[in-house]
Amino acid sequence: MVFMTANWHPLGDAFYRKTDLYEMGWNIGGLRDCLIAAAPYGGPIALLKGSQRSERSHSVRPVMEMYTSSGVPLASFLWKSGIVVDIGWTVSDYLLCIQEDGTVLIYDILGNYCRHFNMGSELSQNSVTEAKIFHSAYRTGVAILTKAYRFSVVTNIEDQKIWRLPDVPGLQTSGLSCWTVISQDRQTKLVLASGRNIYVLDSDSCTSVTVPGLDPDISSYLHMSASFNYKYLALYTNTGCIWMGTSNLKEKLGEFDCKFHAPPKQMVWCRRPRSQQPSVVLMWDSLLLVAGKSNESIQYNLDDELYLVPELDGVRIIGSKSHEFLHEVPATCEEIFKIASMAPGALLLEAHKEYKKESQKADEYLREIKDQNLLPTAVEQCIEAAGFEYEPETQKMLLRAASFGKSFLSNFSPERFVTMCRELRVLNAVRDYTVGMPLTYVQFRQLTVQVLIDRLVFRRLYPLAIEICKHLKIREFQGVSHVLKHWACFKVQQKEPDEDIAHAINQKLGDTAGISYSEIAAKAYECGRPELAIMLLDFEPQSGEQVPLLLKMKRGQLALNKAIESGDTDLVYTVVMYLKNEMNRRDFFLTLRKHPVALSLYRQFCKHQEQDTLKDLYNQEDDHQELANFYVQESYQEAKVEVRVAELQKAVDEYSKARNEFAAKATEEQIKLLKFQRKLQDETDKPYVDRSLHDTVYSLLLEGSHRHAEQLYKDFKIPDKRYWWLKISALAEKNDWEELEKFSKSKKSPIGYLAFVEVCVKHQNKYEAKKYVSKVTPELKVKAHLLVGEVEQAADIAIERKNENDLNLVLSRCNQSTDRSLVERLNKARSGANKK
Amino acid sequence: MAFHSRIDSSETPKFSDLKRLACDQLIYLLEQLPGRKDLFIEADLMSPLDRIANVSILKQHEVDKLYRLDNKPVISSCNQLCFLIRPHIQAVKWISDIVNSDKITGKCRKYKIIFCPQKFYVCEAVLEEQGVFGDVTCDEWEFYFLPLDDDIISLELPEFFRDYFLDGDQRWVSATAKALHYFHSLFGLPLKVYGIGKCAKITYEMWRQFIEEGEKKLSTDKTGNLFIFDRDVDFVTPLCSQVVYEGLLDDVFRIKCGSVELCSDVTASDKTIKVLLNSQDKVFNEIRNEHFSNVFGFLSQKAKNLQTAYDKRQGMDIKQMKNFVSEELKGLKQEHRLLSLHISASEYIMKRKTKLDFQELLKAEHSLLDGFNVRESISYIEEHIIRQISMIESLRLLCLLSLTENGLVSKDYRSLKSQYLQSYGIEHVLTFANLRQMGLLVEQQPGETFTAMESTVGKLVADKAVGKLTDAFSSLAKKSNFRALSKKLTLIPKSNEEYDLHSPPDMAYIFSGAYIPLSCKLIEQVLERDGWNGLEEVARMLNGNEFAVTAGGGGAGEAKPKPQSSRLMFVIFLGGCTFSEISALRFLGKQKGYKFIIITTAITNSSRLLESLNDGHS
């Protein structure tokens, strides 16, 4: 307790403190002669050694080194590209190196080159003199200044759209002393100082502004700096005066006169969110100064070259030996730890201390808080303060006090307490020297867990990331699965045998929800390991996901297998269409042949789109049967008889090849028939083509061309039964009763004589019909009588024959008008027949 | 989608909501193309569309004119054309032609294709090949179900049958699985799923996959059981002549999407009348499942009742009369109208169906079914062909013969076939090729004694390898085994007793007591045994692929099913079912206390089935 406030320094209404983060693990002589860049949110540090222009020599190449915030090396490589003007980190921890020629090279956190882009061709003549990297929530931008005093800006390096800003008048003559970028609400502006003028420059205009509340004697501005969120701006004048105000330069927040005329090496804002007071940290060679709005200041003497990294809630100070954090003491901490504080949190902490000493004072303190009904506030203060403390011991002390206080409360939600414990545990883990991410609680909340996990993944700290996901109970597909996927994507780049990698990946990933093996496989393929990719794809449960990659890998056959397995016809079609364009026809057909499902789908397509392909397909397959069927189909879409015959002839050949003699013969007969019909058509000028044999004969008979009909009868070996039916139907239709009778007597009818009765009745000639009834065989006589309407005769025969079916038949024809006695007789006979 | 609130499934789910959902979605899609537009509808979709959204609804949403999509140039002057089609290549090509011809003449219009129920990749490929991909916008109308009645839901996909069973094209299978998924997301998952047939199995597995992949957890509510049935398990039943009233109406007049058009010579008036046939029609509801011989008796009784109701008027005082007019008369009038319609329909059927030849046809069919006097049946069929009585009917008889006799002996096969070709033309070799591929009309292989051998092998060794071997054999031959099945399941009632059609003892009444439909019998047996236990041999004779699974897996235990809901049975027919089968299931339901809901890819009958396989030009 005594020591908590030892490093506190008052400034204005608040206290500032500087705490140690790390002893740096690196071994570097000093930060002099280096280009240095440190990413916010406890990100990595990049050093480009020996690049300072004054010392540039062509024989010695500079070295690019990357470290964690604790100075643990991440990567190091010789700089082989052009002259670097500035370096800086993006919001997602990629390093940007801006070269004199306007090229921006991008490296990942482990020193791997990713890509590059250029800030514009115009720059080849006008080399870059200065560059600034700026951030907004989700993007990073770059602004450059060329020798010709022209500014260009890329607001988002992802889309690389370059804006050239308008010229600023008078820069060529009066020079440019300092400038900075303000990036707010999707708007990017430049503030620049030239002599005693301040200009605001945006994409289409340049306006001169007067800074409110500044001494008019000022002749130039030596330094300017925007706050972390670009809301505020600080200006350092040649008179040693620091102006602090809003970044739109409309409001002044404070002013501090340090009386130094030399410009500071660095000037950064040190301000925590929602703090009431503006403060700026300035650094000279041997002095670090925290300036507030009053004329007070805190001064530290320096014996090391330092580098300041502005953060959301303070400033990190990196030296060659140590790494410190300077910030305004949060109000809660101040209330609890300030000497003689009577805030509820302070009392609770005290109470808990006494309690541990088993002193009764604990009760007194507690009572005091409880009497004011402030216990919940006290607990909350302790929890909140724990979050602001960097030392685990202090955190524990505060949390224990909170827990102690909480036990006296009945309906205090434990959630805040539990969350804080969990999150602090995570924070302490990533603050560890080996990880080296000195995140404060405020930064962590701003960064979000997802981003933190991504950053760990980028650094390949997979186990830690997974533990954090599990500890914070993050949903699988955002958490563990996500990390595992990245791990797997990294794993496939390792130089191990394919089988081992595939096995290892499957072992770890198993069936974890939300894992897409196809994505990992895609990565493997990208890394030039198609075999591994295929092995991985085998683990993919959804065939639909496998197919696109397999096609990309030109594994059409395999893709086809998978598509068919999936049962999704769309997928099969996708592959088939792809193969159709990729392969030569022969191979394509051969492939299809192995896959009936695909083949049938393709046939469907061909039937409508490419009739000829269909034919080729059958040809290729030696599917004579289908080919023959195809020709038959073709033939009857054809109008000309000659062509039709030709098509049919082809069909005959194919049918014979398919050993379908029946169809071959039938087709041959059809050709014969067609020819015959054609001849008839020419002779008689009546349409015969398109009729079946039966219909042809029938119409011939109707027309009375018995000679032709007979010829067909013989030529086509029409069965007698059919011929007789044809003949008698035709004669009856023509009402040629005489001929019919003659025909009936020509020889014994192969279809019996009931047929004669039927055709006569059909054409309403009962008189003729009756002629044939007597010839009908006894079994059918009842029917014949009924047909001609002779119910009584039918009944007589039925009764005589004692046949139940016949009797029923006759009975069903009886109605009211039928003679009663007849019905009775029938019924009697039926019951007699039943008994038998 | 806008169905967050699950429709409550107490007892029978309300399927009319399906209509409303489909209608809402269509309107939404139409409004995506603001302004006046002409709508081109594929012929197949016209009747179903009419049941979902009639012309006036379409007009309300700025549809100007309605056309049938055809292969001809359009005359529309509207600058926005909307096409409502099934994902058929043919239809897409026609649309491409329209777009391309507009391009040539320099007309500038907006085109939108609405695919129903989903878009296929191949459609886009065709659009691309025709060079119009960029000119049209595509959308999907997820209209899967048309509820025809309280207990019949149709997918209205008649082409499912040919596409899958003949061409082996699985495109509709995944659509059906999707439909099932959609259905159960609305009405809850089934407790148990039974099925038989290869397609049933694929469908079930795809559906399972959809459930597993589904991001949002479906409700774990369980409703009823599900039976998935492949049409090719039982071809005999749909090929028999229907003699139940609703089936007869379908055979004679062709019921389209639950309504029938009675032409002028039926109604004896000068215009055709469209009658909606469902349970709302009280007269129809009482006779639809009746054997036709009972229908007249019922109708005349009904007429008498109606008369007495009218007669009540006599002796009424003014007040009673007023009451009568305001309350009863309208209902009576309505009933009167329907009654007279059904009477004239029945009369028309009587005229056509009670002639001697129909009786003989039935007789021939029945003797085919019980395998009695086969030679006589063959000569009957031969005469049928020779006399050109009916192209489709002859085919039907041929198929029945082949199915019941396990194929035709070579001599008969050839002679009947050539007779048929002589009657109806050579192109029918294609039809015969189709029928052979389907196993509907096949030639017995010489020396086919393998049924006997196969069953002995099957009995002797229950070894898997042998099972596979016989599987391979049976799939090779695609035999129907009808005779053995009918013995095993006693499908043919004993013929020595008079069958009582008025209060029938079993489902055979739908075929005048001659045959219990195999499909329905199977369902009955599986439900009774709660699976395929004891039906192994039957399943084997049906080429296997049977399954019975307790669905839900993970969700077991939670959400106790309501006692009624396990009596609720969803039966899915892949490839269509007939009204007779529906009647049989309704009968079974009444007998055993089940409530059957029939989901079918389409309502079919023997003519539709065979016409879809007919490749001869007719």
Side-chain angles (χ1 to χ4, degrees), chain B residues 213-239:
Chain B
E213 285 167 21
E215 275 188 22
K216 44 182 173 183
K217 272 268 174 244
L218 290 171
S219 68
T220 44
D221 285 17
K222 305 277 166 68
T223 340
N225 297 325
L226 179 69
F227 196 108
I228 313 179
F229 189 90
D230 267 21
R231 186 69 274 172
D232 72 346
V233 171
D234 174 17
F235 277 137
V236 175
T237 308
L239 286 178

Side-chain angles (χ1 to χ4, degrees), chain A residues 28-74:
Chain A
I28 49 169
L31 299 174
R32 206 176 288 276
D33 311 335
C34 291
L35 260 183
I36 178 167
Y41 296 103
I45 305 167
L47 288 172
L48 188 60
K49 278 187 172 173
S51 71
Q52 290 302 61
R53 250 172 256 199
S54 53
E55 316 215 346
R56 190 201 320 148
S57 82
H58 290 287
S59 55
V60 184
R61 289 189 184 279
V63 183
M64 177 70 81
E65 291 178 348
M66 296 184 189
Y67 297 94
T68 66
S69 286
S70 55
V72 176
L74 289 168

Side-chain angles (χ1 to χ4, degrees), chain B residues 8-185:
Chain B
D8 198 60
S9 59
S10 58
E11 286 194 65
T12 339
K14 273 222 171 62
F15 300 121
S16 50
D17 291 314
L18 289 169
K19 258 195 216 169
R20 193 173 45 81
L21 288 173
C23 183
D24 288 352
Q25 206 204 351
L26 180 66
I27 289 167
Y28 172 79
L29 289 174
L30 287 175
E31 281 174 353
Q32 297 293 296
L33 191 68
R36 273 169 16 116
K37 59 217 152 230
D38 282 352
L39 185 62
F40 289 74
I41 306 162
E42 198 178 343
D44 281 11
L45 274 170
M46 290 189 124
S47 308
L49 178 69
D50 193 43
R51 293 293 303 269
I52 294 296
N54 55 31
V55 178
S56 63
I57 291 180
L58 295 175
K59 297 254 169 180
Q60 272 168 32
H61 294 90
E62 296 184 281
V63 169
D64 201 24
K65 285 191 189 102
L66 287 160
Y67 297 93
R68 190 174 126 146
L69 181 64
D70 232 325
N71 188 18
K72 57 181 186 212
V74 296
I75 30 155
S76 158
S77 58
C78 197
N79 62 355
Q80 298 198 97
L81 305 183
C82 190
F83 302 92
L84 185 60
I85 59 168
R86 293 273 183 211
H88 293 146
I89 296 176
Q90 188 66 69
V92 175
K93 269 195 80 171
W94 288 344
I95 295 172
S96 307
D97 291 346
I98 291 171
V99 178
N100 276 327
S101 75
D102 278 356
K103 275 188 190 169
I104 291 166
T105 53
K107 257 191 213 122
C108 187
R109 310 197 225 229
K110 261 193 187 168
Y111 312 93
K112 180 190 183 75
I113 305 180
I114 300 174
F115 290 99
C116 171
Q118 66 180 99
K119 179 173 65 186
F120 286 140
Y121 170 78
V122 69
C123 298
E124 286 178 331
V126 171
L127 286 175
E128 212 175 320
E129 279 197 9
Q130 304 288 320
V132 296
F133 186 71
D135 303 300
V136 298
T137 52
C138 296
D139 248 316
E140 289 181 341
W141 180 32
E142 289 169 314
F143 164 54
Y144 288 107
F145 298 106
L146 178 65
L148 295 178
D149 208 337
D150 298 341
D151 58 352
I152 315 174
I153 297 171
S154 168
L155 272 69
E156 290 301 318
L157 289 174
E159 62 252 58
F160 185 107
F161 178 68
R162 182 179 168 129
D163 281 351
Y164 178 77
F165 291 106
L166 180 66
D167 297 330
D169 180 344
Q170 294 186 1
R171 71 175 93 186
W172 294 116
V173 180
S174 60
T176 310
K178 225 175 252 173
L180 257 183
H181 183 47
Y182 172 80
F183 185 82
H184 288 295
S185 67

Side-chain angles (χ1 to χ4, degrees), chain B residues 245 248-249 251-254 261-268 292 296 299 340-355:
Chain B
Y245 185 61
L248 256 177
L249 281 181
D251 273 359
V252 176
F253 301 108
R254 299 226 164 189
E261 273 181 36
L262 297 177
C263 52
S264 50
D265 49 331
V266 179
T267 56
F292 190 66
F296 255 114
L299 289 177
S340 67
L341 275 175
H342 286 295
I343 288 175
S344 33
S346 306
E347 264 172 355
Y348 184 80
I349 294 172
M350 281 285 263
K351 247 185 261 161
R352 291 195 32 184
K353 292 287 180 181
T354 49
K355 279 196 211 150

Side-chain angles (χ1 to χ4, degrees), chain B residues 294-348:
Chain B
N294 297 341
V295 169
F296 255 114
F298 176 85
L299 289 177
S300 62
Q301 185 57 45
K302 193 90 196 164
K304 269 181 213 150
N305 293 351
L306 206 60
Q307 191 56 52
T308 18
Y310 276 127
D311 287 348
K312 274 206 306 198
R313 282 178 300 181
Q314 261 113 55
M316 276 183 187
D317 58 30
I318 291 286
K319 200 177 167 202
Q320 283 167 322
M321 188 67 102
K322 206 172 157 191
N323 237 355
F324 176 81
V325 171
S326 65
E327 280 165 23
E328 283 174 64
L329 195 60
K330 204 179 159 213
L332 287 176
K333 275 263 162 70
Q334 168 79 354
E335 210 167 310
H336 188 152
R337 195 183 68 87
L338 290 169
L339 190 63
S340 67
L341 275 175
H342 286 295
I343 288 175
S344 33
S346 306
E347 264 172 355
Y348 184 80

Side-chain angles (χ1 to χ4, degrees), chain A residues 98-116:
Chain A
I98 300 143
Q99 296 193 140
E100 208 175 52
D101 59 2
T103 313
V104 179
L105 292 98
I106 305 177
Y107 291 84
D108 75 7
I109 194 171
L110 298 165
N112 301 307
Y113 169 76
C114 299
R115 62 191 173 92
H116 75 273

